Amino acid sequence: MINFLRIFLIPFSLIYLLIIYIRNHFYNIGILKSHKISKPIISIGNISTGGTGKSPFTVFLANYFIVNNLKPAIVSRGYKRESNNIETVFDGSVINSTLDKCGDEPLMMANSLSLLNKEFFIVTGSDRVKTSDFVINKFNPDVIILDDAYQHRRIKRDVDIVLIDAEDMNKNKFLNSIVLPAGNLRENFGNLAGADIIIQNNKFGNFKILDKLKKFEKDVFILNYRVKGFFDLYNKEFDISGKDVCAFAGIAKPDSFFSKFRNYDCNIVDLISFRDHHNYSLDDISRLTQNTSKETFFITTEKDFVKIKNFSTFVKNFNVLFMKIELILEESDKFFDIIKDNIFNNK
């Protein structure tokens, strides 16, 4: 039914496709300029709308630099934040921003990486060129990671990494063959040719490299998720075996998150899905807790938890946890060798 309705939007997709083509062509021939930044630049992005795992992979990559004694800076737009100003989320030692000023994903990344007790930086800004210059002048990082920036061509990059959701590509072939608004693509699938590295995100699934990715003759790496555990506000781990569980999420494609609870010996009371980047309200908390006992475990994603933990009464009076995932990249040594060669050896 949804696909049938989207057919009527195809003329608008053709207009959108033409606009994207003209824009990219103008960059290719130099009418629109790309700015060279004085630090190595890695872009992490996708060619489809939401749910490909960009933010977890940004954390994964930043973590690699941090444990190897380098200082990375993450530059993000801060989707759905209430400010267009440059906002320092993590200044190398502490989190000094709020959800409304920086957005949920930068705050989630700061929370996760701060557990390493090492130096890194996260800054949000609507203009990535100005924000990158700000980061360099104030913090002097070793490398800058641009979050969700494959379509952002105003900055020249040393490495372009694109994530593809394998399950969604197989499940929604029509939507992933046409651009917005009829389809899910931000740009023509053929534009993957501009990527340096393609990450096929299998999440919790088991997929071979997709045939449509092989034609690009690019390095394609398989990414998998593993549940590391369920943790509370104080990073204490809990066993959910035999417990009543209400799972909820405000992410683009929550099915992979919900599916993991079937692997645990728990009683699933409810599975509740909100819109991606949902701003939770007291009404939402009431919806979650109605007809449930104090012994119920309320479990959400790490991205949602940065918002939910602000409801102190809910977190204090109920068992509120988040699922922490671990990223496993096949052929990771080869991947990081490519990264190092491109951002350091080619300077």
Side-chain angles (χ1 to χ4, degrees), residues 5 19 50 90 94 119-120 133-134 148 158 166 171 174 176 243 259 273-274 281 290 295 304 306:
L5 293 175
I19 293 170
F90 195 88
V94 296
E119 194 172 12
F120 67 93
D133 286 338
F134 169 87
D148 191 14
D158 298 281
K171 185 178 179 181
F174 170 78
N176 288 306
K243 307 296 184 180
S259 68
S273 178
F274 297 92
S281 66
Q290 66 181 355
E295 287 71 37
D304 289 289
V306 300

Side-chain angles (χ1 to χ4, degrees), residues 165-283:
D165 185 333
E167 182 178 15
D168 187 58
M169 281 290 167
N170 280 318
K171 185 178 179 181
N172 296 304
K173 293 183 178 180
F174 170 78
L175 297 180
N176 288 306
S177 63
I178 190 168
V179 299
L180 296 165
N184 287 343
L185 295 182
R186 292 178 169 187
E187 56 184 308
N188 192 330
F189 196 84
N191 288 2
L192 269 178
D196 297 297
I197 297 173
I198 299 172
I199 304 292
Q200 179 176 303
N201 192 353
N202 287 353
K203 296 184 179 177
F204 298 110
N206 182 23
F207 303 94
K208 295 180 180 179
I209 293 177
L210 302 177
D211 289 337
K212 64 192 306 182
L213 297 180
K214 295 178 181 178
K215 68 178 183 179
F216 294 105
E217 298 182 350
K218 302 285 182 178
D219 289 298
V220 181
F221 294 88
I222 298 292
L223 181 66
N224 293 284
Y225 290 172
R226 182 181 73 85
V227 177
K228 197 169 185 178
F230 302 93
F231 297 82
D232 69 2
L233 179 65
Y234 307 102
N235 214 40
K236 177 183 176 182
E237 185 174 4
F238 285 79
D239 181 5
I240 65 170
S241 299
K243 307 296 184 180
D244 289 343
V245 169
C246 173
F248 64 99
I251 56 178
K253 298 164 187 171
D255 289 348
S256 61
F257 168 70
F258 291 143
S259 68
K260 294 312 297 176
F261 292 97
R262 302 189 189 101
N263 298 340
Y264 292 87
D265 183 24
C266 62
N267 176 35
I268 302 174
V269 175
D270 207 350
L271 302 174
I272 300 176
S273 178
F274 297 92
R275 293 182 63 126
D276 192 18
H277 297 281
H278 180 68
N279 290 320
Y280 290 91
S281 66
L282 287 174
D283 287 341

